[in-house]
Short mmCIF file of all heavy atoms in Angstrom, two decimals:
data_model
loop_
_atom_site.label_atom_id
_atom_site.label_comp_id
_atom_site.label_asym_id
_atom_site.label_seq_id
_atom_site.Cartn_x
_atom_site.Cartn_y
_atom_site.Cartn_z
N GLY A 1 -0.97 -20.71 -6.25
CA GLY A 1 -1.53 -19.88 -7.32
C GLY A 1 -0.46 -19.27 -8.18
O GLY A 1 0.61 -19.86 -8.38
N SER A 2 -0.73 -18.08 -8.69
CA SER A 2 0.21 -17.41 -9.57
C SER A 2 0.22 -15.92 -9.27
O SER A 2 -0.76 -15.36 -8.78
CB SER A 2 -0.16 -17.64 -11.04
OG SER A 2 -1.46 -17.13 -11.30
N GLY A 3 1.33 -15.27 -9.59
CA GLY A 3 1.43 -13.83 -9.37
C GLY A 3 2.88 -13.39 -9.41
O GLY A 3 3.81 -14.21 -9.32
N SER A 4 3.09 -12.10 -9.57
CA SER A 4 4.43 -11.54 -9.62
C SER A 4 4.52 -10.39 -8.62
O SER A 4 3.52 -9.81 -8.21
CB SER A 4 4.76 -11.04 -11.02
OG SER A 4 3.82 -10.04 -11.42
N GLY A 5 5.77 -10.07 -8.24
CA GLY A 5 5.97 -8.99 -7.29
C GLY A 5 5.26 -9.23 -5.97
O GLY A 5 4.70 -8.32 -5.38
N ALA A 6 5.28 -10.49 -5.50
CA ALA A 6 4.51 -10.86 -4.31
C ALA A 6 5.24 -10.45 -3.04
O ALA A 6 6.47 -10.44 -2.97
CB ALA A 6 4.24 -12.35 -4.30
N ALA A 7 4.46 -10.11 -2.03
CA ALA A 7 5.01 -9.74 -0.73
C ALA A 7 4.02 -10.16 0.35
O ALA A 7 2.81 -10.20 0.13
CB ALA A 7 5.27 -8.25 -0.65
N LEU A 8 4.56 -10.47 1.53
CA LEU A 8 3.75 -10.82 2.69
C LEU A 8 3.80 -9.69 3.70
O LEU A 8 4.87 -9.18 4.03
CB LEU A 8 4.27 -12.11 3.32
CG LEU A 8 4.00 -13.40 2.54
CD1 LEU A 8 4.89 -14.53 3.05
CD2 LEU A 8 2.53 -13.78 2.64
N HIS A 9 2.62 -9.30 4.17
CA HIS A 9 2.51 -8.25 5.18
C HIS A 9 1.97 -8.90 6.46
O HIS A 9 0.87 -9.48 6.45
CB HIS A 9 1.56 -7.15 4.71
CG HIS A 9 2.03 -6.43 3.49
ND1 HIS A 9 2.39 -5.10 3.49
CD2 HIS A 9 2.22 -6.86 2.21
CE1 HIS A 9 2.76 -4.73 2.28
NE2 HIS A 9 2.67 -5.79 1.48
N PHE A 10 2.72 -8.79 7.55
CA PHE A 10 2.30 -9.34 8.83
C PHE A 10 1.98 -8.21 9.79
O PHE A 10 2.74 -7.25 9.92
CB PHE A 10 3.41 -10.21 9.44
CG PHE A 10 3.72 -11.45 8.65
CD1 PHE A 10 4.79 -11.48 7.76
CD2 PHE A 10 2.95 -12.60 8.81
CE1 PHE A 10 5.08 -12.62 7.04
CE2 PHE A 10 3.24 -13.75 8.09
CZ PHE A 10 4.31 -13.76 7.21
N ILE A 11 0.84 -8.35 10.50
CA ILE A 11 0.45 -7.39 11.54
C ILE A 11 0.03 -8.19 12.76
O ILE A 11 -0.80 -9.10 12.65
CB ILE A 11 -0.70 -6.48 11.08
CG1 ILE A 11 -0.38 -5.80 9.76
CG2 ILE A 11 -1.01 -5.43 12.14
CD1 ILE A 11 -1.54 -5.02 9.17
N LEU A 12 0.61 -7.85 13.91
CA LEU A 12 0.29 -8.55 15.15
C LEU A 12 -0.44 -7.60 16.10
O LEU A 12 0.02 -6.47 16.33
CB LEU A 12 1.57 -9.06 15.82
CG LEU A 12 1.39 -10.09 16.94
CD1 LEU A 12 0.90 -11.41 16.38
CD2 LEU A 12 2.70 -10.30 17.70
N HIS A 13 -1.60 -8.04 16.59
CA HIS A 13 -2.40 -7.25 17.53
C HIS A 13 -2.48 -7.96 18.87
O HIS A 13 -2.48 -9.20 18.94
CB HIS A 13 -3.82 -7.03 17.00
CG HIS A 13 -3.89 -6.15 15.80
ND1 HIS A 13 -3.83 -6.64 14.50
CD2 HIS A 13 -4.02 -4.80 15.68
CE1 HIS A 13 -3.93 -5.65 13.64
NE2 HIS A 13 -4.04 -4.52 14.33
N ASP A 14 -2.58 -7.17 19.96
CA ASP A 14 -2.79 -7.76 21.27
C ASP A 14 -4.28 -8.02 21.49
O ASP A 14 -5.11 -7.77 20.60
CB ASP A 14 -2.18 -6.89 22.37
CG ASP A 14 -2.81 -5.49 22.45
OD1 ASP A 14 -3.93 -5.31 21.92
OD2 ASP A 14 -2.18 -4.60 23.05
N SER A 15 -4.63 -8.49 22.69
CA SER A 15 -6.02 -8.86 22.96
C SER A 15 -6.96 -7.66 22.99
O SER A 15 -8.18 -7.82 22.87
CB SER A 15 -6.10 -9.60 24.31
OG SER A 15 -5.58 -8.79 25.35
N GLN A 16 -6.42 -6.45 23.12
CA GLN A 16 -7.23 -5.24 23.08
C GLN A 16 -7.38 -4.67 21.67
O GLN A 16 -8.03 -3.65 21.46
CB GLN A 16 -6.65 -4.16 24.01
CG GLN A 16 -6.91 -4.40 25.49
CD GLN A 16 -6.04 -5.51 26.05
OE1 GLN A 16 -4.85 -5.55 25.79
NE2 GLN A 16 -6.65 -6.41 26.80
N GLY A 17 -6.71 -5.32 20.70
CA GLY A 17 -6.79 -4.86 19.32
C GLY A 17 -5.75 -3.84 18.93
O GLY A 17 -5.79 -3.30 17.82
N SER A 18 -4.80 -3.57 19.82
CA SER A 18 -3.73 -2.61 19.51
C SER A 18 -2.61 -3.29 18.74
O SER A 18 -2.22 -4.42 19.06
CB SER A 18 -3.17 -1.99 20.80
OG SER A 18 -4.17 -1.31 21.52
N GLU A 19 -2.10 -2.60 17.73
CA GLU A 19 -1.01 -3.15 16.92
C GLU A 19 0.28 -3.13 17.72
O GLU A 19 0.67 -2.12 18.28
CB GLU A 19 -0.86 -2.34 15.64
CG GLU A 19 0.21 -2.88 14.70
CD GLU A 19 0.35 -2.06 13.43
OE1 GLU A 19 -0.71 -1.71 12.84
OE2 GLU A 19 1.49 -1.74 13.05
N VAL A 20 0.98 -4.29 17.76
CA VAL A 20 2.22 -4.37 18.52
C VAL A 20 3.44 -4.56 17.62
O VAL A 20 4.56 -4.26 18.03
CB VAL A 20 2.16 -5.50 19.57
CG1 VAL A 20 1.11 -5.18 20.63
CG2 VAL A 20 1.85 -6.85 18.93
N LEU A 21 3.24 -5.04 16.41
CA LEU A 21 4.35 -5.09 15.45
C LEU A 21 3.81 -5.26 14.04
O LEU A 21 2.69 -5.73 13.82
CB LEU A 21 5.37 -6.19 15.79
CG LEU A 21 5.01 -7.67 15.69
CD1 LEU A 21 5.13 -8.20 14.26
CD2 LEU A 21 5.93 -8.48 16.60
N ARG A 22 4.64 -4.89 13.09
CA ARG A 22 4.32 -4.99 11.67
C ARG A 22 5.59 -5.37 10.91
O ARG A 22 6.68 -4.88 11.23
CB ARG A 22 3.77 -3.65 11.18
CG ARG A 22 3.37 -3.60 9.70
CD ARG A 22 2.91 -2.19 9.33
NE ARG A 22 1.63 -1.86 9.96
CZ ARG A 22 0.47 -1.92 9.35
NH1 ARG A 22 0.41 -2.30 8.07
NH2 ARG A 22 -0.64 -1.61 9.99
N HIS A 23 5.44 -6.23 9.92
CA HIS A 23 6.61 -6.68 9.17
C HIS A 23 6.19 -7.01 7.74
O HIS A 23 5.10 -7.53 7.49
CB HIS A 23 7.23 -7.92 9.83
CG HIS A 23 8.49 -8.40 9.18
ND1 HIS A 23 9.56 -7.58 8.92
CD2 HIS A 23 8.85 -9.65 8.75
CE1 HIS A 23 10.53 -8.28 8.35
NE2 HIS A 23 10.12 -9.53 8.23
N GLU A 24 7.07 -6.66 6.79
CA GLU A 24 6.81 -6.94 5.38
C GLU A 24 8.04 -7.61 4.77
O GLU A 24 9.18 -7.23 5.05
CB GLU A 24 6.50 -5.65 4.63
CG GLU A 24 6.23 -5.83 3.14
CD GLU A 24 5.94 -4.52 2.43
OE1 GLU A 24 5.60 -3.54 3.12
OE2 GLU A 24 6.07 -4.49 1.19
N VAL A 25 7.80 -8.62 3.93
CA VAL A 25 8.89 -9.36 3.32
C VAL A 25 8.46 -9.87 1.95
O VAL A 25 7.31 -10.26 1.76
CB VAL A 25 9.32 -10.54 4.24
CG1 VAL A 25 8.17 -11.53 4.42
CG2 VAL A 25 10.55 -11.25 3.71
N PRO A 26 9.33 -9.84 0.93
CA PRO A 26 8.98 -10.41 -0.38
C PRO A 26 8.88 -11.93 -0.29
O PRO A 26 9.46 -12.56 0.59
CB PRO A 26 10.14 -9.97 -1.27
CG PRO A 26 11.28 -9.73 -0.35
CD PRO A 26 10.68 -9.24 0.94
N CYS A 27 8.13 -12.53 -1.22
CA CYS A 27 8.00 -13.99 -1.21
C CYS A 27 7.86 -14.51 -2.63
O CYS A 27 7.55 -13.75 -3.56
CB CYS A 27 6.80 -14.42 -0.37
SG CYS A 27 5.20 -14.09 -1.12
N ASN A 28 8.09 -15.80 -2.79
CA ASN A 28 7.92 -16.48 -4.07
C ASN A 28 6.66 -17.34 -3.99
O ASN A 28 6.54 -18.21 -3.13
CB ASN A 28 9.13 -17.36 -4.37
CG ASN A 28 10.41 -16.57 -4.55
OD1 ASN A 28 10.41 -15.52 -5.18
ND2 ASN A 28 11.51 -17.05 -3.98
N ILE A 29 5.71 -17.07 -4.87
CA ILE A 29 4.45 -17.81 -4.87
C ILE A 29 4.71 -19.29 -5.15
O ILE A 29 5.49 -19.64 -6.03
CB ILE A 29 3.48 -17.25 -5.92
CG1 ILE A 29 3.18 -15.79 -5.62
CG2 ILE A 29 2.19 -18.05 -5.95
CD1 ILE A 29 2.51 -15.54 -4.30
N GLY A 30 4.08 -20.15 -4.38
CA GLY A 30 4.23 -21.59 -4.55
C GLY A 30 5.27 -22.21 -3.64
O GLY A 30 5.46 -23.43 -3.67
N GLU A 31 5.92 -21.40 -2.82
CA GLU A 31 6.93 -21.92 -1.91
C GLU A 31 6.49 -21.73 -0.46
O GLU A 31 5.61 -20.93 -0.16
CB GLU A 31 8.27 -21.22 -2.15
CG GLU A 31 8.87 -21.47 -3.52
CD GLU A 31 10.21 -20.78 -3.69
OE1 GLU A 31 10.68 -20.14 -2.73
OE2 GLU A 31 10.79 -20.90 -4.78
N GLN A 32 7.14 -22.46 0.44
CA GLN A 32 6.91 -22.28 1.87
C GLN A 32 8.02 -21.41 2.44
O GLN A 32 9.19 -21.63 2.15
CB GLN A 32 6.87 -23.62 2.61
CG GLN A 32 6.67 -23.47 4.12
CD GLN A 32 6.44 -24.78 4.82
OE1 GLN A 32 5.41 -25.41 4.65
NE2 GLN A 32 7.40 -25.19 5.63
N ALA A 33 7.65 -20.44 3.24
CA ALA A 33 8.63 -19.53 3.84
C ALA A 33 8.55 -19.60 5.35
O ALA A 33 7.47 -19.85 5.92
CB ALA A 33 8.37 -18.10 3.38
N GLU A 34 9.67 -19.40 5.99
CA GLU A 34 9.74 -19.32 7.46
C GLU A 34 10.30 -17.95 7.82
O GLU A 34 11.43 -17.63 7.46
CB GLU A 34 10.62 -20.44 8.01
CG GLU A 34 10.64 -20.49 9.53
CD GLU A 34 11.39 -21.71 10.05
OE1 GLU A 34 10.74 -22.77 10.19
OE2 GLU A 34 12.60 -21.59 10.31
N ILE A 35 9.49 -17.15 8.51
CA ILE A 35 9.82 -15.74 8.69
C ILE A 35 9.78 -15.39 10.17
O ILE A 35 8.78 -15.62 10.85
CB ILE A 35 8.81 -14.86 7.92
CG1 ILE A 35 8.87 -15.20 6.42
CG2 ILE A 35 9.07 -13.38 8.16
CD1 ILE A 35 7.62 -14.85 5.68
N GLU A 36 10.89 -14.82 10.67
CA GLU A 36 10.91 -14.33 12.05
C GLU A 36 10.26 -12.96 12.11
O GLU A 36 10.50 -12.11 11.26
CB GLU A 36 12.35 -14.25 12.56
CG GLU A 36 12.44 -13.74 13.99
CD GLU A 36 13.86 -13.70 14.53
OE1 GLU A 36 14.70 -14.50 14.05
OE2 GLU A 36 14.13 -12.88 15.43
N LEU A 37 9.42 -12.76 13.12
CA LEU A 37 8.75 -11.48 13.30
C LEU A 37 9.62 -10.59 14.17
O LEU A 37 9.77 -10.84 15.38
CB LEU A 37 7.38 -11.68 13.94
CG LEU A 37 6.42 -12.60 13.18
CD1 LEU A 37 5.10 -12.72 13.92
CD2 LEU A 37 6.18 -12.09 11.76
N PRO A 38 10.25 -9.56 13.60
CA PRO A 38 11.15 -8.69 14.36
C PRO A 38 10.44 -8.04 15.54
O PRO A 38 9.31 -7.58 15.42
CB PRO A 38 11.57 -7.64 13.33
CG PRO A 38 11.33 -8.27 12.00
CD PRO A 38 10.13 -9.14 12.19
N GLY A 39 11.11 -8.04 16.69
CA GLY A 39 10.53 -7.44 17.89
C GLY A 39 9.69 -8.39 18.71
O GLY A 39 9.24 -8.03 19.80
N SER A 40 9.49 -9.63 18.23
CA SER A 40 8.62 -10.56 18.95
C SER A 40 9.27 -11.10 20.23
O SER A 40 8.55 -11.57 21.13
CB SER A 40 8.22 -11.71 18.04
OG SER A 40 9.36 -12.40 17.54
N LYS A 41 10.60 -11.02 20.34
CA LYS A 41 11.26 -11.52 21.54
C LYS A 41 10.86 -10.73 22.78
O LYS A 41 10.94 -11.25 23.90
CB LYS A 41 12.78 -11.48 21.37
CG LYS A 41 13.33 -12.41 20.32
CD LYS A 41 14.85 -12.27 20.21
CE LYS A 41 15.41 -13.14 19.10
NZ LYS A 41 16.89 -12.98 18.98
N GLY A 42 10.46 -9.49 22.58
CA GLY A 42 10.10 -8.65 23.72
C GLY A 42 8.64 -8.74 24.13
O GLY A 42 8.22 -8.08 25.10
#
C-alpha cells in the first residue's frame, strides 16, 4: 500500500492473555522486514 511515517507495533501475550513483551520499530511500506523481539530469549 502507501503511507508515510509508518511504524510497526508488536505485542506478545501468553496463553492467559497477559502481555509479556512489547516492541515498536519504524518501517518502510512495501518492503519486507525481519525484526528481533527484544526479551524473547527469556
Side-chain angles (χ1 to χ4, degrees):
S2 60
S4 59
L8 288 164
H9 297 246
F10 294 98
I11 306 173
L12 194 69
H13 292 91
D14 62 18
S15 58
Q16 284 74 45
S18 300
E19 183 180 315
V20 295
L21 68 82
R22 180 183 291 260
H23 184 51
E24 179 181 341
V25 62
C27 73
N28 296 318
I29 300 298
E31 296 182 1
Q32 178 172 292
E34 185 173 273
I35 300 157
E36 180 178 333
L37 302 180
S40 58
K41 294 179 184 179

